[in-house]
Amino acid sequence: MLHSGEKSVRVENLAQHKARDKIGRALSAARVVFCLLISLFLLSCSSMRPVVKIGLLAPFEGLHRESGYEALSAMRAALADYPLDEFEALPLALDTSADPAQARRAAAKLLRDGSVAAVIGPLQMRQVFAVADIMAASDVDWRPPTVPATAETARALVRAFILNMSGQNIVVAGLDSGWPLFSEEELSSDTGKTVTRIEGETAAAAADGVLWLGSAPEGAAFLGRLRLQSRTIPFWTTAIAGDPVFHSLLLERLDGTPPGPVYWGVAPGEIGNQFNEWAATHPDAAPTAFAVYHATRRTLQQISGDDVPSNVQEIAVFSVDREGTSELAEIVPVP
């Protein structure tokens, strides 16, 4: 039994505990409200910039994956270098596996994302041809960085190649499914040279120059067989010679034999003079990586509403040494 005095003390203590609990809960609630108000204030003071995505179609699996990861690194560098004030830009890379069907699926998936403002790639002609109709039907800016996007630009590139090759007797080999069909008469008439389409390297041994329009693995095999017959015939091709796959397979084929004169060109665009600046600070990067960097930068300029340089039609021609290093040889206009 508690005496009346003890009861009074117990009741008073209980009341004090309840009062302290109420005060504690009130303080906690006040802190939450205060933090919320501060957060809202900070958000209102900072700009909520929209986010746009730049798609990249490149091989990240399979034989050509090295070129794909190099392209992604170049895109990230361009996004980091370009000053963006009104929006954020993020890369969204999807794998093509250097396969036309996979490239088509990847392109369709990119276009289903409404935040994708532009697509760069694919890097190989077969894949560009496979996605061309999908990209043309969309309102998304499309930039294949290393090969022509249309039949018209493809024809202009081939004519420019042949016109800048030395000699009069030129053979064209490995005509890829992504290129428009060319007749011998058409190419000869357009260039003033004798142009012959061939299938095997034997017919190329007596020519003044060879233009290869096929894939990197097939081109390395063709050139390896050609060098067994002639070590001096100039071998010209597209950006496939900037693909690490081309050089590694060619070395296997040559087995110590010098590759001879090898030249390749990047698709039309005003990147030639700017490449030397890029190479000075990126000595290990391939010209094809710079083409992706340049295409990304042009895309950001367009989205930002900045002045975009006029699209001067030029071909940057590179020579390839026996270590597989590409060096800018000359810049030629597209007629």
Side-chain angles (χ1 to χ4, degrees), residues 9-174:
V9 171
R10 179 65 61 87
V11 171
E12 182 179 349
N13 289 339
L14 182 61
Q16 290 176 351
H17 283 303
K18 289 183 178 179
R20 283 197 294 268
D21 288 343
K22 289 181 180 180
I23 293 172
R25 288 194 296 270
L27 288 174
S28 298
R31 292 191 190 101
V32 171
V33 172
F34 178 76
C35 291
L36 179 60
L37 290 174
I38 291 295
S39 299
L40 292 174
F41 174 76
L42 292 175
L43 287 174
S44 65
C45 293
S46 63
S47 59
M48 297 295 291
R49 298 191 298 177
V51 175
V52 299
K53 297 174 185 174
I54 311 295
L56 175 64
L57 294 172
F60 298 103
E61 299 290 341
L63 187 64
H64 298 270
R65 61 186 178 275
E66 184 176 344
S67 61
Y69 283 104
E70 192 172 49
L72 178 57
S73 178
M75 173 175 280
R76 285 173 171 161
L79 294 176
D81 292 346
Y82 197 86
L84 298 175
D85 297 324
E86 298 181 357
F87 63 92
E88 300 282 351
L90 298 175
L92 179 58
L94 291 186
D95 172 50
T96 66
S97 295
D99 174 69
Q102 175 64 20
R104 191 173 177 86
R105 289 191 293 269
K109 185 175 181 179
L110 277 178
L111 294 177
R112 286 196 292 270
D113 188 333
S115 60
V116 172
V119 173
I120 294 173
L123 307 180
Q124 297 88 9
M125 193 64 197
R126 289 177 183 174
Q127 287 77 64
V128 170
F129 178 77
V131 306
D133 62 324
I134 298 176
M135 299 308 306
S138 74
D139 57 357
V140 172
D141 184 34
W142 180 40
R143 297 179 187 274
T146 60
V147 289
T150 66
E152 180 182 359
T153 54
R155 291 178 184 277
L157 181 63
V158 170
R159 286 195 298 269
F161 273 141
I162 295 174
L163 284 170
N164 285 278
M165 295 171 69
S166 60
Q168 287 295 117
N169 180 21
I170 307 299
V171 295
V172 177

Side-chain angles (χ1 to χ4, degrees), residues 125-126 148 154 157-159 161-162 171-180 182 187 197 210-216 218-219 222 235-240:
M125 193 64 197
R126 289 177 183 174
L157 181 63
V158 170
R159 286 195 298 269
F161 273 141
I162 295 174
V171 295
V172 177
L175 189 61
D176 202 304
S177 59
W179 294 88
F182 301 97
L187 291 176
R197 287 181 53 187
V210 177
L211 175 58
W212 176 263
L213 297 179
S215 68
E218 293 165 349
F222 182 96
F235 180 88
W236 285 63
T237 186
T238 60
I240 66 149

Side-chain angles (χ1 to χ4, degrees), residues 169 171 173 196-210 212 221-230 233:
N169 180 21
V171 295
T196 307
R197 287 181 53 187
I198 63 171
E199 296 297 331
E201 68 284 346
T202 301
D208 296 325
V210 177
W212 176 263
F222 182 96
L223 180 55
R225 295 190 299 266
L226 177 63
R227 288 296 179 245
L228 296 177
Q229 303 180 49
S230 173
I233 294 175

Side-chain angles (χ1 to χ4, degrees), residues 286-307:
T288 47
F290 174 67
V292 174
Y293 179 93
H294 179 75
T296 305
R297 188 173 181 86
R298 287 289 299 269
T299 298
L300 293 173
Q301 286 176 317
Q302 184 164 328
I303 297 173
S304 301
D306 297 337
D307 291 335

